[in-house]
Amino acid sequence: MNEFPTPIATVPSTSNKTGGWRTFRPVILYDKCIRCMICWKFCPEPAIKIVSAEKYQAKNAAIAKLDAPEIDYDYCKGCGICANECPVKCIDMVFEEKLEG
Amino acid sequence: MKNLTIPEEEYMLPGHTACLGCGATLAMRYTLKALGKNTIITIPACCWAVIPGVYPSRTLEVPLLYTAFEVTGAAVSGIRQALSAKGIEDVNVVGFAGDGGTADIGIQSLSGAVERGEDIFYIMYDNEAYMNTGIQRSSSTPKGAWTTTTQVGKVRDWKKEKKKNMVEIMAAHGIPYTATASIAFPEDFIKKLEKGKKIKGPKFYHVFSTCPTGWLVSPNKSVEVARLAVDSKVFPLYEVENGIYNITYMPKKEVSVKEYFSLQGRFRHLTEDEINEIQKEVDESWRILIEKEKWSKSLIKV
């Protein structure tokens, strides 16, 4: 028997909650969001999930039919690419300490 | 209903240890989206060797093999041959290396693999220096850039040499397919990978991926900088298929090199004259590329 087996990495990195790196928290304003998913497309984590259309309210009926983006704050490092790329600028970067109150 | 322009499947997990706004992680994410589950990735020493985290952490949903710095081309050749010997042909064998592991240290094994005509993908994610070890200059660092080995202080020792053109080197090998791509244009990149899946033989991709840490760029500007590189013609998007050039994206608006440089701290020491000189070189290589496209297309037999 092999006493020292070949090292194979088996633990998913999801056990590492990188949300603690964050200084600025991206907050999606869903009433302005057009659900184009550009934020999802450019997230380097990826920490933006696609959730069902009904979960969030939208003003426009056509937009309300589309699945919505949702940020997973367990993993978001707060790089701000989503806020920078958003075509309607509906993502605010909020200083974390302010949210703490 | 989903409003997506790229495949939804995700083969990269969050929780990895890449820097904020890392372009290399986007390059990997798009690669796996296009190539899918039947993929084996090989990674030499580079940023991606540390991104999955400390052992036993893994961040990809596909097999990943770590190799030494200079042998990515040899390792992927071996995997491909072993799979073929076992009669497995539907697996994409991918070498995923940085610019140092491709253009400098790994060029001999890559050249060998391409010359032998192995059925592999080779993706060079280009962050324009040895970022993992502390921003040392590589042959892929552009002219004018500051790095920790081309420092700018009392002596202005910024990099005076031009960036190595890997796609030209690959085209000179007579490679069936080679292309440039950018993290700011994922649809274009995925389309090129889809095209590569249909071609037997070596495929080489030069992917421009921003490094906010090494380029002294704000992390939120990561994708914007990559887009400006393409729009300013510093990094044109094109493909070379059996010697025929094809420009896949024509910049729509005029962006100067100065505008592209202005977002990056690594170019802030350059004077107006030096930037103008680089602008001239960029314009010249863009003109040559357009001529090459025209000329090579005129060679196609009807």
Side-chain angles (χ1 to χ4, degrees):
Chain A
M1 223 182 88
N2 190 353
E3 203 183 336
F4 301 105
T6 310
I8 297 171
T10 49
V11 180
S13 61
T14 41
S15 59
N16 183 25
K17 301 269 165 79
T18 47
W21 296 25
R22 198 168 55 240
T23 310
F24 292 94
R25 178 187 296 192
V27 178
I28 301 178
L29 309 170
Y30 283 96
D31 53 340
K32 271 170 84 183
C33 176
I34 57 166
R35 305 189 181 183
C36 61
M37 304 309 284
I38 285 176
C39 53
W40 167 83
K41 188 165 79 178
F42 287 121
C43 181
E45 295 313 314
I48 297 181
K49 296 182 290 192
I50 305 170
V51 295
S52 66
E54 301 83 49
K55 195 167 174 187
Y56 293 99
Q57 297 284 320
K59 271 185 194 165
N60 187 318
I63 292 170
K65 278 183 200 157
L66 298 167
D67 284 355
E70 187 185 72
I71 298 167
D72 188 342
Y73 293 114
D74 276 352
Y75 302 109
C76 172
K77 291 171 187 161
C79 69
I81 290 180
C82 51
N84 194 55
E85 294 301 316
C86 180
V88 291
K89 299 287 164 217
C90 75
I91 303 178
D92 279 349
M93 297 302 288
V94 189
F95 191 42
E96 282 285 342
E97 277 180 28
K98 273 191 185 159
L99 290 163
E100 295 281 314
Chain B
M1 202 169 75
K2 291 185 177 76
N3 186 16
L4 307 178
T5 50
I6 58 172
E8 195 191 345
E9 298 82 39
E10 210 74 70
Y11 297 101
M12 195 177 92
L13 299 171
H16 55 69
T17 58
C19 306
L20 273 70
C22 176
T25 53
L26 281 172
M28 178 63 94
R29 191 174 163 222
Y30 301 144
T31 303
L32 291 176
K33 273 179 185 295
L35 299 181
K37 212 172 81 185
N38 274 3
T39 302
I40 297 176
I41 306 262
T42 302
I43 289 175
C46 61
C47 281
W48 252 102
V50 292
I51 288 172
V54 181
Y55 177 80
S57 171
R58 65 166 177 90
T59 200
L60 301 183
E61 301 274 42
V62 298
L64 187 158
L65 173 79
Y66 290 118
T67 65
F69 220 146
E70 60 276 51
V71 298
T72 318
V76 286
S77 306
I79 294 171
R80 179 71 265 166
Q81 292 299 331
L83 288 171
S84 299
K86 286 191 153 190
I88 304 166
E89 295 293 348
D90 62 339
V91 172
N92 303 309
V93 181
V94 182
F96 199 90
D99 51 303
T102 307
D104 294 352
I105 301 173
I107 197 163
Q108 43 77 20
S109 69
L110 168 64
S111 177
V114 173
E115 186 266 332
R116 289 191 300 274
E118 307 282 359
D119 187 19
I120 51 149
F121 288 86
Y122 195 105
I123 291 153
M124 162 188 176
Y125 67 94
D126 184 11
N127 46 27
E128 305 198 316
Y130 290 84
M131 294 310 182
N132 181 28
T133 48
I135 323 167
Q136 289 89 1
R137 152 209 202 281
S138 81
S139 61
S140 199
T141 306
K143 186 176 176 180
W146 160 92
T147 65
T148 51
T149 47
T150 54
Q151 292 202 354
V152 181
K154 270 182 192 160
V155 182
R156 298 179 74 250
D157 192 21
W158 47 269
K159 197 190 175 200
K160 306 287 195 301
E161 299 81 17
K162 270 191 182 178
K163 185 184 171 82
K164 193 185 264 184
N165 191 333
M166 277 307 289
V167 167
E168 282 300 322
I169 294 173
M170 287 297 117
H173 279 71
I175 195 168
Y177 187 79
T178 179
T180 62
S182 167
I183 55 155
F185 296 84
E187 292 86 358
D188 174 83
F189 181 26
I190 289 172
K191 210 168 131 189
K192 284 168 178 167
L193 285 164
E194 293 285 354
K195 202 169 184 179
K197 276 207 262 187
K198 296 188 191 98
I199 297 166
K200 205 163 167 59
K203 280 86 60 177
F204 181 87
Y205 298 83
H206 182 165
V207 186
F208 190 86
S209 43
T210 317
C211 174
T213 311
W215 298 7
L216 313 178
V217 175
S218 169
N220 64 342
K221 301 279 179 196
S222 186
V223 173
E224 191 179 328
V225 165
R227 190 175 296 121
L228 283 178
V230 174
D231 280 335
S232 63
K233 301 167 184 106
V234 170
F235 190 85
L237 295 182
Y238 64 104
E239 56 188 7
V240 187
E241 204 177 341
N242 292 317
I244 312 295
Y245 285 72
N246 182 26
I247 298 170
T248 54
Y249 175 82
M250 278 288 176
K252 286 175 187 78
K253 53 175 184 188
E254 280 288 320
V255 177
S256 66
V257 170
K258 195 181 173 187
E259 208 176 323
Y260 164 60
F261 281 3
S262 67
L263 285 174
Q264 305 173 62
R266 61 174 176 161
F267 293 116
R268 72 176 153 216
H269 52 85
L270 293 176
T271 63
E272 200 77 21
D273 286 349
E274 285 158 355
I275 294 176
N276 287 340
E277 195 193 314
I278 294 171
Q279 175 76 57
K280 265 182 209 158
E281 286 175 14
V282 168
D283 289 344
E284 183 63 6
S285 27
W286 174 251
R287 187 185 70 80
I288 290 171
L289 182 64
I290 288 182
E291 289 300 321
K292 267 184 194 163
E293 189 193 25
K294 271 189 217 158
W295 175 76
S296 66
K297 279 185 177 169
S298 74
L299 298 176
I300 303 172
K301 283 179 192 158
V302 195

